[in-house]
Amino acid sequence: MECKLDKITINYKICGEGRPLLMIHGYYPDHRLMEGCMEPIFAQRIGWQRIYIDLPGMGETKGESWIKNSDDMLKVVAGFVEKVIPNQHFSVAGESYGGYLAHGLTALKGELIDGMVLICPVVVADHSKRDLPGHCILVNDPELMASLTKEAADEFGSMAVIQSQRNWERYRDEIMPGLMAADKMFLQRIQNHGFEFSMDILKQMKPFYKPVLILTGRQDSSVGYRDAWNIVESYPRGTYAVLDMAGHNLQIEQETLFNVLVDEWLDRMEMGRKWFSYLASVGE
């Protein structure tokens, strides 16, 4: 599907019906990253409309030259929300850079956001200032790695903490297509010259009293896990989890725990809806 905004057309996909849940992928991949990890959770759950966006320069959304920085990226996402789900309450799930944009959305549209999931979120935009563990491989599979092309082995090997056939197949199907399609020159320009918001998101934000889930990987050498602890107090109803045997592809490497924790977040969201419905009925 296409959403035509001023000066840009956004590619997106909608699954299901019900309460809107915006899915924002990370930097370089596309909507398939979020679709791959989230759709299995909704196989047994109804009442949610999942909205998967391709960010500018990723997937099938063109990286327009006027987009110079993350402020512009956030404006695009906010404009998309206003066009696709105007004046509606919604929830948001963001992975890596998508988590960074989700922070920005809470500053801009917090009154409309009912809850949030942050998967290995970017908290500190400047890579040199992140508190990171070193990359390590906890489960090595030499036969698998030898069976891959050099390019695939380098891509998968640079991120994987758990090398396994299933993890490789999910990485191949959910992440690599986006990496191949990405407008690398466009993305590198923003990464080098405008990756950090011009505003301090934490200072702009009021405490967010809605259900939140923050998932981090103990072996995540891309964004780490310590920086995310520094934002916990902004989310009084936030669950914060550090998962062992998980790097930056936590949603793949700790699939079972990921599914359980996101499912529990959805339970909290639905419990809140029932509670507010009850209050409304009592008021009547």
Side-chain angles (χ1 to χ4, degrees), residues 66-77:
W66 62 267
I67 300 175
K68 306 293 186 184
N69 49 45
S70 288
D71 288 3
D72 293 335
M73 284 279 203
L74 181 57
K75 289 175 185 175
V76 169
V77 175

Side-chain angles (χ1 to χ4, degrees), residues 97-267:
Y97 182 68
Y100 191 60
L101 294 176
H103 286 307
L105 274 180
T106 60
L108 296 180
K109 296 184 174 295
E111 72 283 355
L112 291 176
I113 299 176
D114 291 335
M116 182 163 58
V117 176
L118 303 174
I119 308 161
C120 301
V122 170
V123 175
V124 177
D126 187 338
H127 192 278
S128 67
K129 295 180 180 178
R130 296 175 187 172
D131 190 351
L132 303 175
H135 177 61
C136 69
I137 300 171
L138 296 180
V139 177
N140 197 355
D141 188 337
E143 291 186 8
L144 168 65
M145 300 304 288
S147 71
L148 306 181
T149 66
K150 183 180 185 306
E151 180 182 16
D154 288 344
E155 285 284 354
F156 180 58
S158 68
M159 300 293 290
V161 170
I162 308 298
Q163 297 176 356
S164 71
Q165 186 67 34
R166 175 167 175 76
N167 288 353
W168 155 245
E169 289 172 356
R170 288 194 61 188
Y171 185 88
R172 178 196 64 198
D173 297 341
E174 299 168 23
I175 297 176
M176 283 198 74
L179 299 180
M180 299 294 291
D183 183 341
K184 295 178 176 57
M185 290 185 63
F186 169 80
L187 296 174
Q188 287 168 4
R189 176 170 53 80
I190 292 176
Q191 203 162 15
N192 293 335
H193 302 292
F195 198 65
E196 187 171 8
F197 289 132
S198 61
M199 61 179 175
D200 187 323
I201 291 297
L202 291 181
K203 289 183 179 178
Q204 293 283 334
M205 282 177 55
K206 298 177 181 179
F208 186 74
Y209 292 96
K210 307 291 181 63
V212 170
L213 173 63
I214 304 172
L215 296 174
T216 64
R218 184 65 177 80
Q219 289 80 32
D220 186 340
S221 59
S222 295
V223 302
Y225 62 92
R226 301 184 191 100
D227 291 327
W229 180 251
N230 295 329
I231 66 173
V232 168
E233 294 305 321
S234 296
Y235 303 111
R237 291 201 56 203
T239 293
Y240 173 89
V242 184
L243 304 187
D244 183 34
M245 300 189 76
H248 199 52
N249 293 321
L250 173 151
Q251 76 282 2
I252 291 175
E253 294 179 323
Q254 281 286 6
E255 178 181 8
T256 299
L257 277 175
F258 175 83
N259 290 352
V260 167
L261 288 166
V262 173
D263 217 34
E264 188 276 337
W265 173 78
L266 290 166
D267 287 342

